[in-house]
Amino acid sequence: EDQVTQSPEALRLQEGESSSLNCSYTVSGLRGLFWYRQDPGKGPEFLFTLYSAGEEKEKERLKATLTKKESFLHITAPKPEDSATYLCAVQGSGGYQKVTFGTGTKLQVIP
Amino acid sequence: EAGVAQSPRYKIIEKRQSVAFWCNPISGHATLYWYQQILGQGPKLLIQFQNNGVVDDSQLPKDRFSAERLKGVDSTLKIQPAKLEDSAVYLCASSLRDRDFTEAFFGQGTRLTVV
């Protein structure tokens, strides 16, 4: 069964203090690894899809990277508006494979 | 482009009562998902539809939960009877293609409290 483990559970940063969130996964063949952002009271919002080890994607202050066992979401010089829960999910390859989510990292950026 | 619409936003019911949630996906999206998100956890897939057909309902508690998608568009998720542990946010999502979760968009969810 596919498994996704995210760490840390919660992270508190000062504005401008860069850091990384980790997503470790176990899947039999990877079709895709997804990062989502979820604000309180809202549904998850899509950020990135990564398909193969070595791939990187960037969006504003966020950069996602992928290895064969884990993915990192790097946050450079975060701002208070980056505060949210960041969810990682994986989808295995081969026929139909459901998407499995991790429990998320709750990020708080303090001014 | 309109997003995924869900209603109601909030619902409070007593245990053993029944409740129904409604979802209208993005126009043209063939795949529709219902997820359950318990506080502090990630979303868990309950059921996935491809047009009118069910692709995956392996994690749906079928003794109390049911879902349908009429005419391949709107969908309803029903719980009867509700238990305390059903308290969660129920998220609906839709995507253009069956195997490409990248294009999945979520609604704002329905927060259910069972007392």
Side-chain angles (χ1 to χ4, degrees), chain B residues 36-74:
Chain B
Q36 180 192 58
Q37 187 174 26
I38 293 172
L39 187 64
Q41 298 183 18
K44 182 183 90 170
L45 179 69
L46 293 175
I47 190 167
Q48 179 180 339
F49 292 95
Q50 174 72 11
N51 295 312
N52 289 343
V54 175
V55 175
D56 184 353
D57 64 357
S58 59
Q59 299 186 105
L60 186 74
K62 299 180 187 64
D63 58 335
R64 298 184 300 106
F65 286 64
S66 64
E68 61 180 5
R69 189 181 185 195
L70 299 176
K71 300 181 181 179
V73 183
D74 293 8

Side-chain angles (χ1 to χ4, degrees), chain A residues 36 38 41 43 49 51 96 98 102, chain B residues 9 37 42 48 56 59 102 107:
Chain A
Y36 278 81
Q38 187 172 26
T49 301
Y51 293 104
Y96 166 75
K98 71 176 183 287
Chain B
R9 284 298 313 278
Q37 187 174 26
Q48 179 180 339
D56 184 353
Q59 299 186 105
T102 295

Side-chain angles (χ1 to χ4, degrees), chain A residues 6 21 23 33-36 46-48 64 71-73 87-88:
Chain A
Q6 292 189 245
L21 312 182
C23 171
L33 183 142
F34 314 96
W35 282 100
Y36 278 81
F46 171 74
L47 292 174
F48 303 108
S71 176
F72 292 94
L73 185 65
L87 295 166
C88 174

